[in-house]
Amino acid sequence: MIELEQVTKRYGNLFAVNALDLQVRDGEIIGIIGHNGAGKSTTLKMIAGLIAPTSGVVRVLGRDMAKESTLAKRDIGYLPEENPLYENMTAREYLTFFAELYGLPAAKTRARIDELLGSLNLPEKDKLTGEFSKGMRRKVAIARSLLHDPRVLILDEPNSGLDPLTSFFIINYLKTLKRQGKTIILSAHNLFHVEYICDRVAIIKNGRMIVCDTMDAIRATLGNREYQVVFRTDEHLEYERKDGNYVFRTSDVGAMAEILGEISENDWALVDLSVQESALEEIYVRLMTTERQ
Ligand code: ATP
């Protein structure tokens, strides 16, 4: 469990993070989204114990990061936004170097690195990290954050700047980690990925949390649902036409029931009935462009 209680981070007069409350349950994936400068990285760094809050409490797996961060960090894997790598090592050499630095038992290290290289599809020799593509560099950085098999993963934009296939590989890899029981908190700008992978989504605006809930709950309160009924009849009606059919769209479930009744009573042919729900992207843009805080 990760808990933030009224966490604030100030830089001079700027509230980078302002009175944030958040609870991430064990085994959950939660995505933080927000504009550039919203406070996502600052929040993640405070959870990882890299910077201290100005006020408030951060607890990771029951440990107060202000008092027990050294112990807590054993259970935390942190992926920074940038991945500085040593350029002249192979992936295996790089990971071995960090495993030694972290003091991981040598006997276990080899098997762990084998597992990570294999599951992340990384070449272990022939290529040096300096010659790696952006996607491979990101994967090496992810492998590094996982070396000590942490229970909690804090990932700052895990797939920023990656092509769609590599992004999806990483997103699916995170799903596998969740199945292994990891608790994951990540930030992202690609809202489609967040919607696809996260159990809950936190939206931050100017350092403040404006929403934190499941996608279903966010859609129910902030989204739109549109019903589309497509039917066919030879009668002339005042509805929208498409490909020889009539199309009736509404967000009112009662109006949809009425048109279905009319179709049935008149023996018209029902061609299709579908429901379209707002994507996270649409809700996010609306939230960001309104004054709501
Ligand atoms: P992005 O999406 O661009 O990565 P972000 O949501 O991660 O943005 P943060 O990096 O957390 O945003 O920054 C939040 C605010 O705090 C910004 O206004 C930033 O300029 C400011 N900030 C962050 N770190 C510092 C620092 N060390 N000193 C002063 N201001 C800082």
Side-chain angles (χ1 to χ4, degrees):
M1 165 96 98
I2 301 170
E3 292 163 287
L4 275 71
E5 272 172 29
Q6 289 292 297
V7 170
T8 293
K9 181 69 185 177
R10 274 179 68 167
Y11 291 108
N13 289 329
L14 175 86
F15 283 78
V17 172
N18 198 345
L20 211 74
D21 286 317
L22 176 67
Q23 291 200 337
V24 187
R25 291 181 279 272
D26 289 343
E28 190 177 31
I29 302 190
I30 191 158
I32 304 188
I33 62 174
H35 56 87
N36 289 125
K40 302 178 295 294
S41 297
T42 307
T43 303
L44 296 182
K45 282 180 192 160
M46 287 191 285
I47 300 172
L50 293 174
I51 55 173
T54 310
S55 60
V57 180
V58 178
R59 268 185 230 100
V60 177
L61 300 170
R63 297 199 173 100
D64 184 339
M65 294 304 282
K67 296 174 188 149
E68 297 176 278
S69 77
T70 311
L71 257 185
K73 280 178 190 169
R74 288 189 196 165
D75 287 316
I76 297 176
Y78 170 68
L79 176 78
E81 202 172 347
E82 308 290 336
N83 12 284
L85 300 180
Y86 300 112
E87 308 280 294
N88 59 350
M89 290 178 172
T90 63
R92 176 176 291 282
E93 283 166 351
Y94 178 83
L95 294 174
T96 308
F97 172 76
F98 274 95
E100 283 168 4
L101 201 68
Y102 295 152
L104 300 182
K108 278 194 182 164
T109 299
R110 199 181 161 81
R112 178 73 183 143
I113 293 176
D114 282 346
E115 185 193 335
L116 289 169
L117 291 173
S119 57
L120 281 160
N121 263 343
L122 278 166
E124 64 167 289
K125 45 187 183 202
D126 304 332
K127 237 183 173 144
L128 301 176
T129 45
E131 304 162 45
F132 277 8
S133 67
K134 228 176 179 176
M136 286 155 90
R137 293 170 74 88
R138 205 62 181 143
K139 285 183 189 177
V140 174
I142 291 173
R144 181 185 149 183
S145 71
L146 286 166
L147 269 175
H148 54 308
D149 202 11
R151 288 165 64 192
V152 171
L153 272 176
I154 300 166
L155 309 172
D156 202 346
E157 298 191 30
N159 46 18
S160 83
L162 305 185
D163 68 60
L165 274 185
T166 313
S167 287
F168 253 95
F169 177 90
I170 288 177
I171 286 297
N172 283 319
Y173 184 66
L174 298 184
K175 279 199 157 188
T176 309
L177 294 174
K178 175 190 158 76
R179 279 195 293 275
Q180 292 170 5
K182 309 263 185 236
T183 304
I184 303 173
I185 179 160
L186 59 90
S187 69
H189 283 292
N190 185 321
L191 306 190
F192 175 63
H193 290 156
V194 171
E195 187 162 2
Y196 174 66
I197 192 183
C198 293
D199 299 310
R200 283 189 301 147
V201 180
I203 304 180
I204 298 188
K205 185 174 179 181
N206 298 328
R208 281 186 180 276
M209 175 90 74
I210 49 172
V211 177
C212 181
D213 219 326
T214 61
M215 266 317 297
D216 280 350
I218 291 176
R219 269 200 211 93
T221 49
L222 299 165
N224 293 318
R225 181 173 281 181
E226 189 188 76
Y227 302 97
Q228 185 175 292
V229 182
V230 182
F231 62 98
R232 188 185 284 267
T233 169
D234 292 335
E235 288 181 38
H236 181 76
L237 304 171
E238 291 300 314
Y239 294 122
E240 178 189 336
R241 294 214 70 157
K242 197 176 173 198
D243 303 330
N245 296 320
Y246 285 105
V247 181
F248 177 82
R249 297 174 211 272
T250 181
S251 55
D252 176 2
V253 71
M256 181 196 60
E258 249 173 59
I259 188 83
L260 286 175
E262 207 176 331
I263 291 167
S264 159
E265 269 169 35
N266 293 292
D267 251 347
W268 298 335
L270 180 64
V271 177
D272 188 39
L273 170 62
S274 59
V275 185
Q276 283 183 345
E277 302 198 274
S278 309
L280 176 57
E281 188 138 340
E282 187 189 321
I283 295 169
Y284 173 78
V285 169
R286 199 152 16 88
L287 275 174
M288 287 297 143
T289 48
T290 59
E291 286 310 303
R292 191 187 151 151
Q293 287 283 318

